[in-house]
Amino acid sequence: MPDARDATPYDALLLLSFGGPEGPDDVVPFLENVTRGRGIPKERLKEVGQHYFLFGGVSPINDQNRALLDALRKDFADHGVDLPVYWGNRNWAPYLTDTLREMVRDGRRRILVLATSAYASYSGCRQYRENLADALAALESEGLELPRIDKLRHYFNHPGFLEPMIDGVIRSLEELPEEVRDGAHIAFSTHSIPTAAADTSGPVEDHGDGGAYVKQHLDVAKLIAEAVRERTGVDHPWQLVYQSRSGAPHIPWLEPDICDHLQERHAAGVPAVVIAPIGFVSDHMEVLYDLDTEAEAKAEELGLPMRRSATVGTDPRFAAAIRELVVERAAVERGQETTPCALGSLGASHHLCPVGCCPARAPRPAAAGADSTYA
């Protein structure tokens, strides 16, 4: 059996996330980073950024990542895992390239990456791998010795990710008025993406209608719904829904939208709804605005009792799951046999993204995969 404390050959873990503005003056520059290359005028970005301005121009994601860093460091220390944890972002400080440069200068040569996205998709996996390749290319141009980088497998069906969400749904049901509780519908919500990106998500064998992205979310929703039924004795109807669409109107994206879904469920006579944001690791802006602001306003307009369950955030079970994934991947790298921990029908995800997994529209170099530009 692998040693539950042994992270060798890795000498660091990198928490890799999206990033977000930390003040009003940051909003437009942040959105320029997010939309770079699309030619979107600054005035349009100011309009898009209004939901950030409603919250003082501050996205909660950075503070949430700081809290997750603390939780991971504490869990590692408490369980004897000697592995420093760093943090870098795609679109805002601390920028990924700066963090990787710091890690190299600190002597880190085998780096394991935790992305704050649990599912397979271009934007949730492949794009982060492209960001890593871009950062490595920048360090190479500076003459720095490049580290080897691997990425943790997708953790959507790890018990440490699922159990906090199950508890959150049950708590939200308990918060509903008793007379509507048993008839409540559960809307499992995640980020909408273009249907073309969904259809090509995951390994090539998973490509098709919705790809791995939809399959993985449906499996998680089913697991949570079944656990809620087992623990409460009530079989609640449920559906996978989407939020945060941002693309051009003529491009098909995954549907139904959460607000349209609330309207439809209300018209069908559903007495109450619990929204479970299973596609998100923490309560960042898209949860606070799209669910706690827009969806809540829609529910109030309809007179539909609604509760929104919590994301996993810094739940100790999630921190423990990351530690287990680190030790598991380290054992694989050492050539030891492991028993990956995963629930549901899909099993544990791949450790190494295969060729053709979540492809980009135009081929770009990527790290931490079978098609890696950097070993």
Side-chain angles (χ1 to χ4, degrees), residues 62-252:
N62 285 338
D63 277 346
Q64 288 164 5
N65 279 324
R66 292 183 184 102
L68 181 56
L69 277 176
D70 289 343
L72 292 173
R73 288 166 177 162
K74 182 180 186 303
D75 179 88
F76 286 8
D78 288 348
H79 292 86
V81 175
D82 184 16
L83 198 69
V85 187
Y86 294 74
W87 168 38
N89 288 325
R90 170 187 292 171
N91 297 302
W92 203 249
Y95 288 104
L96 171 59
T97 301
D98 296 335
T99 300
L100 272 184
R101 184 183 298 110
E102 176 190 358
M103 297 175 80
V104 168
R105 289 174 175 168
D106 286 347
R108 311 304 176 192
R109 294 294 177 264
R110 290 293 305 271
I111 297 170
L112 196 52
V113 173
L114 162 65
T116 55
S117 175
Y119 302 85
S121 70
Y122 171 74
S123 58
C125 184
R126 172 79 192 197
Q127 191 172 11
Y128 281 117
R129 294 177 49 226
E130 293 174 353
N131 299 148
L132 287 165
D134 291 342
L136 289 170
L139 299 189
E140 186 175 43
S141 71
E142 298 170 11
L144 295 176
E145 181 180 352
L146 299 186
R148 174 174 166 178
I149 295 179
D150 294 318
K151 181 178 175 291
L152 285 176
R153 66 177 173 89
H154 300 300
Y155 46 87
F156 63 93
N157 56 3
H158 194 288
F161 185 66
L162 289 166
E163 286 293 336
M165 292 192 292
I166 294 167
D167 289 349
V169 170
I170 292 173
R171 281 195 299 270
S172 293
L173 288 166
E174 291 172 345
E175 291 170 1
L176 287 169
E178 187 174 357
E179 62 271 19
V180 299
R181 186 179 304 151
D182 285 354
H185 172 85
I186 305 173
F188 292 104
S189 187
T190 190
H191 204 301
S192 184
I193 62 175
T195 56
D199 293 346
T200 56
S201 58
V204 172
E205 60 268 23
D206 284 339
H207 292 181
D209 188 15
Y213 187 75
V214 172
K215 289 177 188 173
Q216 291 170 0
H217 280 89
L218 284 173
D219 208 42
V220 167
K222 182 180 179 182
L223 284 164
I224 295 174
E226 289 175 348
V228 170
R229 184 187 68 243
E230 290 171 3
R231 299 179 196 185
T232 66
V234 180
D235 191 5
H236 291 273
W238 61 269
Q239 186 171 338
L240 179 63
V241 300
Y242 302 92
Q243 61 177 87
S244 312
R245 177 189 170 126
S246 59
H250 68 280
I251 298 176

Side-chain angles (χ1 to χ4, degrees), residues 31-40:
L31 292 174
E32 288 175 333
N33 288 341
V34 174
T35 61
R36 183 174 288 115
R38 302 182 201 172
I40 299 177

